[in-house]
Amino acid sequence: MALKGLDIFKLTPKTNCKECGQPTCMAFSMKVAQGSVQIEQCPHMSEEALATLGEATAPPMKSIKIGVGEEEHTIGGETVLFRHDKTFVSKSLYGVSVTDANADEVLAEAAKVDYVRIGEHMYVELVNVAFEGDKSAFLSAVKKAAATGRTLVLDVQDGDAAKAALDLVKDTKPILNGANPSNYEACNALAKEYGVVLGVRAEDLDALYTTVTALEGLGNKELVLDVGGASIKDAFGNAVKIRRAALKDNDRSFGYPSIVNVAKLAPGDERLQTALASLFTSKYGSIIILEKMDYGKALGLYGLRQNVFTDPQKPMTVETGLYPINGAGENDPCAFTVDFALTYFIISGEIERSGVPVNLIIPDAGGYSVLTAWSAGKLTADSIAKFIKDEGLEAKVKNHTLMVPGKISVLKGELEENLPGWKIVIAPNEAIGLPKFLKEFVA
Amino acid sequence: MPFKHNPQVFSSSIGETVLGTGEKALTLGGENVWSLYSFDGAVKNPPAVGIEFSDQGPDRSLPGVAAAYEGAETLAELAKKAEQVPGVQFVAFRLAGSDPNGDNESVADSVAKVKEVADAISLPLVVTGSNNIDKDAELLPKVAEALQGKNALLLNAKEENYKGIAVAAVTAYGQKVSGESAVDINLAKQLNVLFSQLGIKNENLVENLGQGVVGYGFEYIISTVERVKLAALTQNDAALQIPVISPISTEAWTVKESLATEEEIPEWGSREERGIGLEVSTAVASIAAGSNAVILMHPASVATVSKLIAELV
Amino acid sequence: MKKLFDRVFDGADEMFALAQKALDETIAELGENAPVSMPNTAYHLANHLTYFKRQIMSLKDLRAAFEEDKTWNIHEPDLGSVFKTGYATFAAAEVIEACKYAKSDDPYNGEYHGHLSDAEVRELGVPLVTNDIPGFVVIHGKAPTDEEALELIKGYQARGIFVFLLGEVIAQARRLNMNMGFPVRVVAVGPDVWQVAHIISFVNRAAMIFGAVQPGERWDFDDYTFWRIHAFVNAFDPVSDLVVSCGAGAIAMGFPVITDDPKDMWPVPKSIIIQPDTKDFIETSLEARDIKLKITKVDIPVSYSSAFEGEIVRRDATRIDFDGSRFDSLEWVRMREIHEIEDHAIEIIGPDVEDFEEGERVGLGIVAEVAGKNMLTDFEPVIERNFHNFINCAEGIMHTGQRDLIRIRISKDAFNAGFRLRHIGEIVYAKIKSEYEALIDKCQVKIYTKSEDLKELRTEINKVFDTRDARLASMTDETVDVFYNCILCQSFSPAHVCIVTPERLGLCGAVSWLDAKAMNQLDPNGACQVVTKERVVDEHVGIWEDVNENVAAQSHGNLQQVTLYSIMVDPMTSCGCFECICGIETYSNGVVIVNREHTGITPLGMSFSEMASMTGGGVQTPGFMGHGKHFIASKKFMRAEGGPARIVWMPKALKELVAPKLNATAKELYGIDNYVDMIGDETITDDPEVLMNHLSEKGHPVLSMEPLF
């Protein structure tokens, strides 16, 4: 249970010294409770208070960092089983699995998937290199994989091969996914030596649990848990049971991110791998390894991931500005809606469907839907008119027709006053009515 | 040290709704564990997968679709092909031609089409009308009348037209009906309460909580389905203990990602694979959130999703 | 005068004699093994199935059944026996009709409709159950003139009421070429009284199909027909004993009989109504059967849509300017007795728009007089507040303000399109009737434009406003039996539930206890539902077991308890649309309140939006709480922590707004005069230490209160 701001406040010095950067101890405490400020930023907290807070605020699931520089990623750190309860914080990472034989082809194909959607860079973050018994082939594959600059997952249980591979890529903080109930001590030594995160696997959850507690006993808490590849059913069951044990039953020995290799669960069946990757994106896969990645899989999968890992309290927004649709130019009419990403997508999609060129104006509306933004005062005749003037849209677009979302038609009068010379037109209440409306409008 | 597994079996369960008749009848719902969590307890009726085609015919520009419907021209022939697609447990038929903003075909013509499809198949039938409130209010009762004895499911009675559709479908003609609400647990509940006030029992209902596709605000759909199922299972909220159906097909195939041709965006590759990807990801995420049935368009999506379900439960 | 019971019994005997004769003749002609059935039904002879659970297949079966019918024809002078005799009459009538159908599948040769098929039952049953057809009438006998017959039938048809005709009225309608048949919802059932059996068969089958009522369960049938089948009978003079006996059956089913025949007729409220003027049959009938007709259209010469809600009518485009700031004006919803109102009457008292100069400014009074079984005077202001939306949606009409401070402009375009004062009445009438269907049965509108009338009305309405305000002031959380919840905001804040009480309106400031009550009346399944407060845990701080249960259920388990009058222990959550937030100020042990409009920083070191981000989303944040502006001066405001004496800082504008009431509350609770002056604001300081100095200087009561934690 997260601490309330008031509980934290009781432990602060209550001096309002402002050294933490906050104007009052109360403001500081509220922000710590909210998670937007770290408790350590108060220089006057007593050791005792810090210990109390540290224990209470310690997450039930570890946040683990892998990779370096721009390719550093955080996994884990989740606090809830359902996104509506708070938010999922660390998005699932996707990787492709390579061997020496297929590395060139697989990596070249995966590299093509590289795009930005609603401010998020979509690409294959990880490369999994599988050891198949031939050390030199493995090392060759590691080299090819390392050349991509992506963070690696070394799927190798052979100590010798693992060490050789780590020698090659030790500076990039890969995951050494190789510990099992019989080799964990040696693997642990390697992971410590090279400062990398250790992946742990076992034939069942009991053995996995035993191995993890043993590793914790050796002082290693930089772990990820492999949910196994015996069967789809086992892998899913393990992923859920591990996450639930950590978050619901507060069992911190399972409070680590997971790794799921769907390439092993459905070898050769790419569509089934898409299905599995979707399943584990929804439910508790921190790292998901597929055989291949292409746009056929990525558009759905990355879209799902973007949605699942959206903070329910902070809606996704698109950038404000002028979006000409269907090749709209200065002589085409304008319309506006809000910067809430979902609304933008729906409205722009319907305008596209209509085939009618429209200049879609997106002002700052606080990321709310149309009605919410309007009732919260984030979308007013003033704010729209100001945006149009500040952005110089009156000069950019000669056609001074402005379509207003039907639900806020109440703004018509004020808009007419604020935007003299503009023709204010009421568009339909629902987006689905747009194609018909637009076609009739220009007819 | 053994791991302590705490299975989560709920004391409440989702109600069961039966579609179709005879050996091929399909039961939706009934579970008292979280969707697909067969490791917690038996999943009474695994999520079902249906295939949809419309009265406008299949999109034969997609090779996989063209192959599945090869040689089928009439609606009856199409329906027979649809029910033979591997993994299909029910057939969904969409009366796209009835849309008043489209062909605005007469009720009699639409009813004749539904009859033709219904008589051709033995799997349970799900019918989607025009999705126009006024037209459906007129059309769906006539569809229900024509399908007497089939125990079909009529989709999408909304708050504005539920009365006539529900009373005709369920009470007068013995079909099942699905309400459609707009991605909001309270609206879903309210609609179900209204059904019960008409004397319609849960066993005759399915609910469509509002559908979308991954990438397009799908988080709202996930959270709505999850919250509905949590309320049903943990709070024993009878008004929400109704199987959930997710009509994904049209949503998945009408966004840019599945509409853009290979000429328009060459780097995206095969349009067919993109559409299947969207359909599969959306279906799996819907089922993981708690949906009891998904409606898909592409035979490959149907095969993939049903295969995954078979592996899991 | 012949007693009503005797008329029923004599009529029943007549029907039984006719049935006996028909049965004997038919058996003689066809033999007792001849089959008998009605076409296209799975319910055999439905009335016999209903009453006696008999599945009649042959004339032999029919004869045996008829013997059982006779056991219901009991001449005992009690209501139960009379009703039973009425049903027996229907059964006997069915015997007569069955004999006809035993001889032919189509005994009426298309001239009359006769039996209704199951398909017809289903087709008509659906709209009856859903109220899309508001009810049906059975018209029997001969109207005074053919024209009156036609007018009556068409009157029902125009109101969407399904019409069954029996007897000579059919010939009357035919003489005037009335188009009849199932599709036009006027059915000529048959020439004689006993064809009523087909209508009763229709009703009984509807109960079995749509109500799942089981054969033989007479009380269930009665219940179903009374509550679900909105039917009634119009019987023209002369009404024979035979018709009276059928009427007994109809009344038993809950269907009133309206007649213009006063001879030997005994009026019974809601059951037998004598209406000498057949022109008033429709209104009398609808009222007797409680049938409300849906209003779907606003009858005005300009467009009506929410698209015009924000339209501004400029000075130079104005034909007439009703200006409440200069001339006495008002709008008023006034509850009346039902008999005082003529539904849909619209009266213009004084000159109309065309009688004024172009652009002239004058006064206007709109008084909507309403009545309804569920209407309360408390709802008057709730409805009144919506006049703004109602009137504004008309194209070319602008409305602002409320009560006696309104302004309405009618544009030249609207005037040229024919818009007159009557149309304001039409709008108000149509919207009140459609939006408040559950509350209002009748509505009439009076529109005043004469200054002397307006002056007088304004004096009167000001007294009403005073009464209303006094009523609101006297309403406390203790004086009401229930609270309401409001989950309007759950669409974006799914865990939040507002508990709305008389002293604590919704935190958005928009939903008062009365609003919630009215919303609940209008839509019992909607966003506002009753919250009981029977199991008190602690009334002082505001804890009730039933309130907690409601919050837990409505938040789908996210919240377990709330303390209504505390901000420290289980405070009420917020959705995010609060008018104000209060948060504890730790130096003074008091609270700071900031309203949405204030953009500056508060002594807490946080602005409104920073505080809002911590308090919204349905999460309990002890020490912080969202609330409406009007809650500040309430005696319940953080009563658990000592009440409004905890307030140490508010933005100046907010202070000024709440000062009169807050000062009065402080005077009453603590005996302090001008309490608001002790409270800090941004013109004094936004620094907590300077604020402490201010509080000390002023002797603010918070300084002597217990620490908050």
Side-chain angles (χ1 to χ4, degrees):
Chain A
M1 185 63 204
L3 273 187
K4 302 279 189 194
L6 215 52
D7 302 315
I8 298 168
F9 176 75
K10 288 175 193 167
L11 299 168
T12 65
K14 308 184 190 80
T15 51
N16 292 355
C17 70
K18 301 183 179 64
E19 285 173 50
C20 61
Q22 301 299 324
T24 65
C25 292
M26 186 49 128
F28 173 74
S29 305
M30 294 302 289
K31 283 180 183 169
V32 172
Q34 210 183 12
S36 59
V37 165
Q38 296 296 310
I39 187 80
E40 290 77 19
Q41 287 184 307
C42 171
H44 302 292
M45 279 278 182
S46 69
E47 281 301 317
E48 200 186 339
L50 278 177
T52 315
L53 285 170
E55 184 59 31
T57 52
M61 179 183 180
K62 286 273 285 178
S63 285
I64 304 277
K65 283 193 164 58
I66 58 170
V68 291
E70 289 194 352
E71 291 302 320
E72 186 185 83
H73 304 283
T74 302
I75 50 177
E78 304 298 344
T79 57
V80 291
L81 287 170
F82 295 101
R83 61 174 294 283
H84 65 255
D85 280 336
K86 191 168 169 73
T87 177
F88 290 160
V89 290
S90 305
K91 66 186 178 194
S92 307
L93 302 179
Y94 299 124
V96 288
S97 190
V98 299
T99 60
D100 190 41
N102 68 13
D104 293 332
E105 184 199 339
V106 170
L107 293 174
E109 192 183 14
K112 290 183 196 158
V113 174
D114 194 330
Y115 61 107
V116 174
R117 190 172 192 274
I118 321 178
E120 185 180 346
H121 183 199
M122 307 297 194
Y123 69 110
V124 179
E125 291 95 353
L126 307 175
V127 180
N128 182 77
V129 190
F131 176 67
E132 293 181 320
D134 179 340
K135 184 177 156 189
S136 67
F138 177 60
L139 294 180
S140 164
V142 168
K143 281 182 204 153
K144 289 174 185 170
T148 60
R150 306 285 156 85
T151 301
L152 303 192
V153 179
L154 302 173
D155 181 5
V156 51
Q157 300 176 68
D158 178 283
D160 187 35
K163 187 169 169 51
L166 284 170
D167 274 329
L168 291 174
V169 294
K170 57 179 184 278
D171 298 332
T172 60
K173 214 180 167 211
I175 294 174
L176 172 57
N177 185 16
N180 62 43
S182 49
N183 76 356
Y184 70 89
E185 286 174 304
C187 268
N188 183 49
L190 269 183
K192 284 205 163 159
E193 181 188 344
Y194 288 96
V196 298
V197 171
L198 184 61
V200 194
R201 71 183 77 184
E203 63 273 23
D204 59 35
L205 285 186
D206 285 341
L208 184 66
Y209 195 80
T210 311
T211 311
V212 170
T213 45
L215 282 163
E216 287 181 323
L218 295 171
N220 193 346
K221 291 193 172 183
E222 291 286 294
L223 306 174
V224 295
L225 311 184
D226 193 319
V227 302
S231 73
I232 288 173
K233 190 170 175 163
D234 276 359
F236 182 58
N238 291 346
V240 172
K241 287 180 204 169
I242 288 170
R243 184 70 61 88
R244 205 164 58 186
L247 302 189
K248 190 161 164 286
D249 303 334
N250 237 331
D251 187 338
R252 294 209 175 146
S253 288
F254 267 175
Y256 296 98
S258 62
I259 181 164
V260 189
N261 193 322
V262 303
K264 286 184 191 168
L265 292 172
D269 189 339
E270 290 191 45
R271 288 174 184 149
L272 188 55
Q273 287 182 34
T274 306
L276 284 164
S278 306
L279 178 68
F280 286 104
T281 302
S282 297
K283 289 266 188 297
Y284 316 140
S286 308
I287 289 175
I288 298 167
I289 308 293
L290 301 92
E291 281 177 343
K292 293 177 182 173
M293 183 63 79
D294 53 34
Y295 274 100
K297 300 184 191 66
L299 292 173
L301 214 43
Y302 285 90
L304 171 64
R305 182 178 76 176
Q306 190 166 42
N307 290 156
V308 169
F309 291 89
T310 298
D311 185 345
Q313 315 275 329
K314 286 186 212 125
M316 285 195 290
T317 56
V318 289
E319 270 182 54
T320 59
L322 179 72
Y323 293 77
I325 298 179
N326 297 329
E330 61 179 19
N331 294 318
D332 293 306
C334 300
F336 73 88
T337 187
V338 289
D339 56 349
F340 178 38
L342 179 56
T343 307
Y344 167 77
F345 274 123
I346 292 171
I347 296 295
S348 59
E350 292 296 339
I351 295 176
E352 278 174 18
R353 232 157 52 85
S354 77
V356 176
V358 171
N359 290 298
L360 185 60
I361 298 171
I362 305 292
D364 180 2
Y368 294 111
S369 67
V370 169
L371 265 187
T372 314
W374 172 71
S375 53
K378 305 265 184 199
L379 184 70
T380 62
D382 282 348
S383 76
I384 297 156
K386 186 169 184 298
F387 185 82
I388 287 174
K389 285 174 185 161
D390 291 355
E391 296 285 311
L393 300 183
E394 294 200 289
K396 274 187 208 161
V397 186
K398 291 197 178 120
N399 184 336
H400 285 189
T401 301
L402 183 63
M403 302 181 195
V404 181
K407 284 191 173 156
I408 50 167
S409 54
V410 60
L411 294 181
K412 184 177 189 229
E414 281 180 73
L415 279 171
E416 281 167 348
E417 300 219 316
N418 283 318
L419 289 170
W422 284 69
K423 186 178 163 214
I424 309 297
V425 177
I426 305 297
N429 278 351
E430 301 294 340
I432 195 159
L434 271 174
K436 187 164 183 259
F437 168 81
L438 288 172
K439 280 182 209 159
E440 283 168 9
F441 185 79
V442 294
Chain B
M1 197 193 301
F3 161 67
K4 193 171 173 301
H5 170 49
N6 294 322
Q8 209 175 1
V9 179
F10 301 99
S11 53
S12 308
S13 54
I14 305 301
E16 290 188 336
T17 301
V18 181
L19 309 183
T21 56
E23 280 177 19
K24 301 282 180 65
L26 173 67
T27 306
L28 301 180
E31 74 270 18
N32 67 343
V33 292
W34 195 259
S35 182
L36 302 176
Y37 285 14
S38 54
F39 43 84
D40 278 347
V43 175
K44 200 157 175 211
N45 300 294
V49 181
I51 192 163
E52 182 177 76
F53 70 101
S54 95
D55 57 0
Q56 312 295 297
D59 180 354
R60 294 185 203 260
S61 72
L62 301 169
V65 174
Y69 292 100
E70 200 185 342
E73 292 303 328
T74 65
L75 289 174
E77 288 162 0
L78 289 168
K80 285 208 173 78
K81 290 280 186 187
E83 79 171 346
Q84 283 158 13
V85 168
V88 165
Q89 289 162 284
F90 63 90
V91 172
F93 179 54
R94 176 179 289 271
L95 288 164
S98 62
D99 185 351
N101 293 323
D103 291 353
N104 199 17
E105 197 173 78
S106 77
V107 168
D109 287 351
S110 298
V111 167
K113 287 176 170 179
V114 172
K115 274 291 278 176
E116 185 183 344
V117 169
D119 291 340
I121 58 172
S122 57
L123 284 180
L125 176 64
V126 174
V127 180
T128 306
S130 64
N131 259 339
N132 174 285
I133 286 165
D134 297 327
K135 185 66 180 279
D136 277 357
E138 187 191 347
L139 171 63
L140 294 179
K142 292 292 175 193
V143 169
E145 183 180 2
L147 295 182
Q148 282 180 84
K150 299 282 184 190
N151 194 22
L153 172 65
L154 305 193
L155 281 192
N156 298 359
K158 302 190 176 83
E159 201 185 334
E160 299 87 347
N161 64 8
Y162 75 96
K163 272 190 186 171
I165 294 173
V167 171
V170 177
T171 321
Y173 303 116
Q175 319 292 354
K176 302 290 188 273
V177 73
S178 170
E180 180 185 350
S181 49
V183 202
D184 180 314
I185 182 172
N186 291 311
L187 295 179
K189 184 172 173 173
Q190 189 177 342
L191 187 55
N192 291 338
V193 169
L194 292 171
F195 281 129
S196 73
Q197 286 177 349
L198 284 177
I200 292 173
K201 299 199 175 80
N202 280 6
E203 67 197 40
N204 293 314
L205 292 173
V206 171
E207 56 186 344
N208 169 6
L209 300 171
Q211 191 58 48
V213 62
V214 290
Y216 290 85
F218 195 71
E219 67 271 25
Y220 294 94
I221 290 155
I222 293 175
S223 287
T224 303
V225 180
E226 288 184 337
R227 293 186 66 224
V228 163
K229 287 296 173 109
L230 279 174
L233 293 171
T234 65
Q235 307 277 312
N236 196 21
D237 191 334
L240 293 170
Q241 288 167 339
I242 291 169
V244 172
I245 193 164
S246 304
I248 289 161
S249 46
T250 32
E251 302 292 336
W253 290 92
T254 51
V255 290
K256 194 175 179 183
E257 286 86 340
S258 54
L259 284 177
T261 63
E262 284 150 51
E263 293 72 47
E264 283 166 341
I265 310 182
E267 64 271 27
W268 276 7
S270 157
R271 178 169 95 87
E272 186 166 37
E273 286 305 322
R274 283 181 263 133
I276 295 169
L278 286 191
E279 233 179 2
V280 167
S281 287
T282 306
V284 172
S286 296
I287 292 170
S291 178
N292 297 90
V294 292
I295 300 177
L296 306 174
M297 186 277 273
H298 200 287
S301 311
V302 171
T304 305
V305 174
S306 54
K307 189 170 175 191
L308 178 69
I309 294 168
E311 290 280 352
L312 286 166
V313 298
Chain C
M1 230 169 122
K2 188 173 176 181
K3 278 189 187 149
L4 192 60
F5 286 6
D6 291 334
R7 296 196 68 187
V8 173
F9 299 144
D10 289 355
D13 286 347
E14 248 181 85
M15 190 71 88
F16 271 85
L18 287 165
Q20 187 73 58
K21 185 161 171 274
L23 186 60
D24 292 345
E25 281 172 11
T26 310
I27 291 176
E29 184 183 335
L30 302 178
E32 64 172 22
N33 290 323
V36 55
S37 68
M38 295 288 180
N40 302 316
T41 177
Y43 295 87
H44 306 277
L45 300 185
N47 298 337
H48 279 84
L49 182 66
T50 299
Y51 302 142
F52 306 110
K53 286 174 79 169
R54 281 183 181 266
Q55 301 186 357
I56 294 166
M57 316 286 280
S58 65
L59 285 171
K60 198 161 108 188
D61 294 345
L62 186 60
R63 186 170 61 197
F66 187 54
E67 290 308 310
E68 189 171 359
D69 296 352
K70 290 175 184 168
T71 66
W72 280 30
N73 184 16
I74 27 180
H75 294 194
E76 299 291 335
D78 63 85
L79 200 58
S81 302
V82 170
F83 283 166
K84 216 165 172 178
T85 303
Y87 286 133
T89 312
F90 289 148
E94 190 172 55
V95 170
I96 300 172
E97 288 301 296
C99 289
K100 284 185 200 155
Y101 280 88
K103 293 178 200 163
S104 160
D105 252 6
D106 185 14
Y108 294 109
N109 268 326
E111 194 181 345
Y112 298 102
H113 191 285
H115 170 75
L116 289 98
S117 68
D118 284 358
E120 286 166 328
V121 174
R122 289 196 160 89
E123 192 178 333
L124 175 54
V126 172
L128 273 178
V129 171
T130 60
N131 247 346
D132 288 328
I133 290 181
F136 73 80
V137 59
V138 179
I139 303 176
H140 175 264
K142 187 181 178 192
T145 65
D146 291 357
E147 287 71 23
E148 276 178 65
L150 190 73
E151 197 185 324
L152 184 68
I153 296 167
K154 290 205 158 166
Y156 282 123
Q157 208 180 16
R159 287 165 175 82
I161 306 273
F162 201 96
V163 182
F164 289 114
L165 302 177
L166 281 174
E168 287 181 66
V169 67
I170 297 173
Q172 291 186 300
R174 282 188 181 146
R175 279 199 289 275
L176 294 177
N177 299 318
M178 172 90 205
N179 178 22
M180 288 185 274
F182 213 87
V184 295
R185 299 183 173 182
V186 178
V187 172
V189 183
D192 312 300
V193 185
W194 39 92
Q195 279 97 40
V196 73
H198 300 303
I199 302 167
I200 302 305
S201 162
F202 155 71
V203 172
N204 285 330
R205 279 179 284 159
M208 288 185 270
I209 294 170
F210 295 97
V213 182
Q214 296 302 312
E217 302 295 327
R218 210 184 113 206
W219 303 119
D220 290 348
F221 274 96
D222 286 358
D223 214 44
Y224 189 83
T225 54
F226 179 79
W227 290 108
R228 300 283 182 158
I229 310 276
H230 301 282
F232 52 92
V233 180
N234 284 179
F236 285 119
D237 189 8
V239 175
S240 65
D241 287 353
L242 201 55
V243 172
V244 170
S245 65
C246 291
I251 290 164
M253 297 168 90
F255 306 158
V257 178
I258 292 85
T259 178
D260 57 339
D261 180 0
K263 301 179 293 295
D264 291 332
M265 195 58 75
W266 305 73
V268 179
K270 290 269 167 196
S271 295
I272 302 175
I273 293 148
I274 300 170
Q275 170 55 264
D277 190 347
T278 58
K279 290 194 177 61
D280 289 337
F281 265 16
I282 296 179
E283 190 163 343
T284 306
S285 300
L286 296 185
E287 198 177 321
R289 192 64 183 101
D290 291 326
I291 294 175
K292 289 181 193 171
L293 301 176
K294 281 202 177 99
I295 310 263
T296 49
K297 199 169 138 272
V298 182
D299 190 14
I300 54 174
V302 296
S303 299
Y304 190 85
S305 146
S306 58
F308 301 110
E309 201 184 328
E311 184 191 28
I312 293 169
V313 176
R314 282 179 189 73
R315 183 96 197 92
D316 52 3
T318 301
R319 174 60 180 81
I320 189 161
D321 190 356
F322 298 108
D323 183 355
S325 65
R326 294 159 195 246
F327 304 93
D328 292 327
S329 294
L330 57 103
E331 56 197 19
W332 184 11
V333 171
R334 185 177 199 188
M335 189 172 122
R336 292 283 193 165
E337 293 299 322
I338 194 114
H339 61 83
E340 292 177 293
I341 294 178
E342 185 192 339
D343 193 43
H344 205 165
I346 292 164
E347 197 182 347
I348 313 298
I349 300 154
D352 206 331
V353 185
E354 68 265 27
D355 305 320
F356 294 100
E357 297 294 316
E358 189 168 295
E360 196 173 343
R361 291 183 183 178
V362 290
L364 181 73
I366 307 169
V367 181
E369 298 184 316
V370 298
K373 273 183 294 297
N374 300 322
M375 180 66 191
L376 299 172
T377 44
D378 279 345
F379 296 151
E380 287 176 353
V382 175
I383 300 175
E384 218 169 85
R385 256 196 343 231
N386 281 304
F387 273 37
H388 174 68
N389 292 4
F390 293 170
I391 296 172
N392 244 353
C393 288
E395 184 178 13
I397 318 298
M398 181 178 84
H399 178 286
T400 58
Q402 55 172 324
R403 284 190 168 192
D404 58 349
L405 290 169
I406 55 165
R407 169 171 228 155
I408 296 178
R409 279 180 174 174
I410 296 174
S411 74
K412 289 175 192 164
D413 287 347
F415 176 80
N416 292 335
F419 195 94
R420 298 293 180 271
L421 289 176
R422 179 170 62 82
H423 298 115
I424 292 182
E426 288 285 356
I427 294 170
V428 168
Y429 169 79
K431 295 308 282 181
I432 286 182
K433 284 288 292 261
S434 58
E435 307 252 319
Y436 296 94
E437 196 186 354
L439 299 179
I440 308 291
D441 298 331
K442 284 186 169 188
C443 171
Q444 66 188 14
V445 185
K446 292 176 180 159
I447 295 180
Y448 298 87
T449 52
K450 284 192 275 195
S451 57
E452 59 272 24
D453 290 346
L454 287 167
K455 188 163 187 228
E456 202 174 302
L457 270 171
R458 195 174 182 185
T459 317
E460 195 179 348
I461 198 183
N462 272 301
K463 283 184 206 142
V464 174
F465 292 153
D466 289 343
T467 318
R468 283 182 191 171
D469 291 343
R471 157 95 175 126
L472 277 179
S474 72
M475 240 176 11
T476 65
D477 291 2
E478 289 80 14
T479 59
V480 295
D481 297 330
V482 294
F483 298 150
Y484 291 88
N485 63 34
C486 177
I487 53 167
L488 270 176
C489 299
Q490 279 202 357
S491 53
F492 57 90
S493 184
H496 171 66
V497 182
C498 251
I499 299 291
V500 181
T501 79
E503 289 176 85
R504 175 175 194 160
L505 77 174
L507 50 85
C508 55
V511 180
S512 73
W513 184 83
L514 280 177
D515 292 319
K517 184 176 177 175
M519 277 161 77
N520 175 258
Q521 289 269 337
L522 291 171
D523 184 2
N525 303 309
C528 293
Q529 304 196 353
V530 171
V531 181
T532 59
K533 47 180 280 260
E534 284 155 8
R535 282 168 285 140
V536 180
V537 177
D538 185 336
E539 197 164 19
H540 184 74
V541 300
I543 307 175
W544 288 264
E545 271 178 47
D546 15 9
V547 172
N548 284 338
E549 284 163 14
N550 190 280
V551 165
Q554 292 298 325
S555 68
H556 307 285
N558 279 301
L559 295 172
Q560 292 309 315
Q561 35 198 0
V562 289
T563 308
L564 293 188
Y565 313 137
S566 173
I567 73 161
M568 297 302 290
V569 183
D570 301 327
M572 199 141 97
T573 58
S574 303
C575 50
C577 40
F578 24 55
E579 282 188 307
C580 302
I581 303 175
C582 66
I584 53 173
E585 200 292 300
T586 50
Y587 270 70
S588 61
N589 264 311
V591 294
V592 158
I593 300 177
V594 58
N595 51 316
R596 182 176 285 281
E597 295 80 7
H598 187 74
T599 50
I601 198 108
T602 70
L604 299 190
M606 292 182 271
S607 65
F608 177 88
S609 56
E610 283 176 288
M611 287 163 75
S613 73
M614 291 160 189
T615 325
V619 185
Q620 283 179 331
T621 315
F624 290 81
M625 187 179 72
H627 56 87
K629 286 174 181 167
H630 287 288
F631 190 48
I632 298 170
S634 164
K635 282 180 243 170
K636 300 294 194 298
F637 180 73
M638 56 188 298
R639 182 160 81 173
E641 288 84 29
R646 289 280 183 187
I647 304 169
V648 295
W649 190 92
M650 281 192 271
K652 196 165 173 44
L654 183 62
K655 262 169 76 171
E656 283 167 6
L657 182 82
V658 301
K661 284 186 177 164
L662 183 53
N663 278 335
T665 304
K667 176 76 180 165
E668 188 183 337
L669 287 178
Y670 318 111
I672 301 173
D673 287 307
N674 300 321
Y675 169 61
V676 172
D677 295 345
M678 297 176 174
I679 299 171
D681 61 46
E682 75 279 16
T683 65
I684 296 163
T685 182
D686 54 24
D687 180 279
E689 291 180 47
V690 182
L691 178 64
M692 273 303 280
N693 298 337
H694 171 80
L695 299 175
S696 309
E697 266 170 43
K698 296 282 181 181
H700 193 290
V702 75
L703 300 176
S704 54
M705 292 173 88
E706 296 275 309
L708 272 169
F709 59 91

